[in-house]
Amino acid sequence: MEQSQWIDVVEDKFKYQLDHFVIPGHYKDDVESILIPHGLIMDRIAKLAQIITSEYDSERIVVCCVLKGGHQFFSDLVNYMKKALNKQGKTLPMTLDFIRVKSYENDKSTGKVHVSMSEKELQELKGKNLLLVEDIIDTGNTMKKLLETLDKYEPKSVKVASLLLKKTPLSCGYVPDYVGFAVPDLFVVGYCLDYNDIFRDLDHICAISEVGKSKYAA
Ligand code: 5GP
């Protein structure tokens, strides 16, 4: 995918103000700004679904959700993929799977990556077409490590769809096959992206505030 094919989000505190959209009362002091309103997220996912479905033939794919942050994106993406396939009059059988990967505590990478699949589950990936669905690529280390692990089990193909790609100088250079938005180098929450398991119930993607960071620190 060409880099220009993702939407570049720039930090602009005055573009979408907190009172332009519905923010749950329990988070009103905990977010600094709205970066991507929920409606825009959904419209972009519809387009990603159209692109992804057009690039596969009719061989079964395993769409694998990277938990927990990728859960909402996964569910909306799969729904839009089904709609896009219907529109295209195309069949693409999909198996849905889940993998849990954890690398962050508070807003810092721990440097270690835990992958939660049993040896048997990993061996079953042999010869399969995998589409990994992730919420955000920051340094890229988590995805690089996950891809190295999965590669040992010889899947037929592996592609990665990430809703967000962070513009950070700490990037290891990894770029996913499909990206929704490139976001500024801030810790973002909402649309299932969490800070110590908080903010998954916020619909918009927002920058966390200092108040939020200290209120929900581990
Ligand atoms: P990476 O290894 O690319 O630095 O980090 C990948 C993982 O860290 C993501 O899957 C996500 O769980 C978490 N992460 C990185 N940046 C952010 C962020 O800005 N907000 C949230 N909520 N999680 C992040």
Side-chain angles (χ1 to χ4, degrees), residues 120-163:
K120 186 172 170 283
E121 286 170 317
L122 286 164
Q123 281 172 5
E124 283 168 4
L125 299 176
K126 187 168 176 164
K128 305 252 170 85
N129 295 302
L130 291 184
L131 173 65
L132 302 178
V133 181
E134 172 66 296
D135 53 354
I136 182 165
I137 302 292
D138 186 344
T139 62
N141 292 331
T142 307
M143 188 48 72
K144 230 178 125 191
K145 186 96 195 184
L146 176 59
L147 290 173
E148 281 165 18
T149 306
L150 296 177
D151 205 45
K152 292 185 199 137
Y153 295 88
E154 300 174 9
K156 182 172 175 187
S157 69
V158 185
K159 286 195 175 186
V160 177
S162 180
L163 181 64

Side-chain angles (χ1 to χ4, degrees), residues 11-211:
E11 192 185 3
D12 179 354
K13 286 186 184 145
F14 303 102
K15 187 171 179 189
Y16 305 125
Q17 291 173 27
L18 295 180
D19 57 4
H20 286 162
F21 295 93
V22 178
I23 300 272
H26 51 278
Y27 292 142
K28 73 177 172 40
D29 297 327
D30 308 333
V31 291
E32 191 66 44
S33 60
I34 296 174
L35 290 174
I36 318 173
H38 185 253
L40 183 54
I41 301 171
M42 299 304 280
D43 288 345
R44 180 65 183 144
I45 296 174
K47 180 65 184 180
L48 287 179
Q50 194 187 63
I51 297 169
I52 294 171
T53 50
S54 71
E55 289 186 2
Y56 280 103
D57 58 22
S58 56
E59 197 173 75
R60 179 173 288 277
I61 63 170
V62 180
V63 190
C64 188
C65 172
V66 183
L67 291 169
K68 292 184 193 168
H71 161 75
Q72 190 66 52
F73 175 42
F74 169 83
S75 143
D76 290 330
L77 182 67
V78 169
N79 276 334
Y80 276 118
M81 282 171 73
K82 288 190 280 192
K83 285 191 187 133
L85 288 163
N86 263 336
K87 269 197 191 151
Q88 293 161 18
K90 192 171 156 181
T91 57
L92 174 63
M94 295 189 264
T95 299
L96 308 184
D97 211 338
F98 300 87
I99 185 167
R100 188 158 182 193
V101 178
K102 198 167 189 265
S103 67
Y104 268 60
E105 195 165 277
N106 290 337
D107 57 347
K108 298 282 176 298
S109 172
T110 59
K112 291 185 216 130
V113 174
H114 306 278
V115 178
S116 71
M117 258 186 168
S118 69
E119 188 59 27
K120 186 172 170 283
E121 286 170 317
L122 286 164
Q123 281 172 5
E124 283 168 4
L125 299 176
K126 187 168 176 164
K128 305 252 170 85
N129 295 302
L130 291 184
L131 173 65
L132 302 178
V133 181
E134 172 66 296
D135 53 354
I136 182 165
I137 302 292
D138 186 344
T139 62
N141 292 331
T142 307
M143 188 48 72
K144 230 178 125 191
K145 186 96 195 184
L146 176 59
L147 290 173
E148 281 165 18
T149 306
L150 296 177
D151 205 45
K152 292 185 199 137
Y153 295 88
E154 300 174 9
K156 182 172 175 187
S157 69
V158 185
K159 286 195 175 186
V160 177
S162 180
L163 181 64
L164 308 177
L165 175 65
K166 204 181 273 189
K167 294 176 275 185
T168 168
L170 299 178
S171 165
C172 71
Y174 171 76
V175 175
D177 302 276
Y178 309 104
V179 175
F181 304 87
V183 290
D185 194 6
L186 301 166
F187 197 79
V188 299
V189 292
Y191 190 70
C192 227
L193 283 113
D194 73 307
Y195 175 77
N196 295 327
D197 279 324
I198 309 292
F199 295 107
R200 294 196 203 275
D201 56 337
L202 172 67
D203 285 338
H204 317 293
I205 293 179
C206 299
I208 191 171
S209 67
E210 288 307 317
V211 172

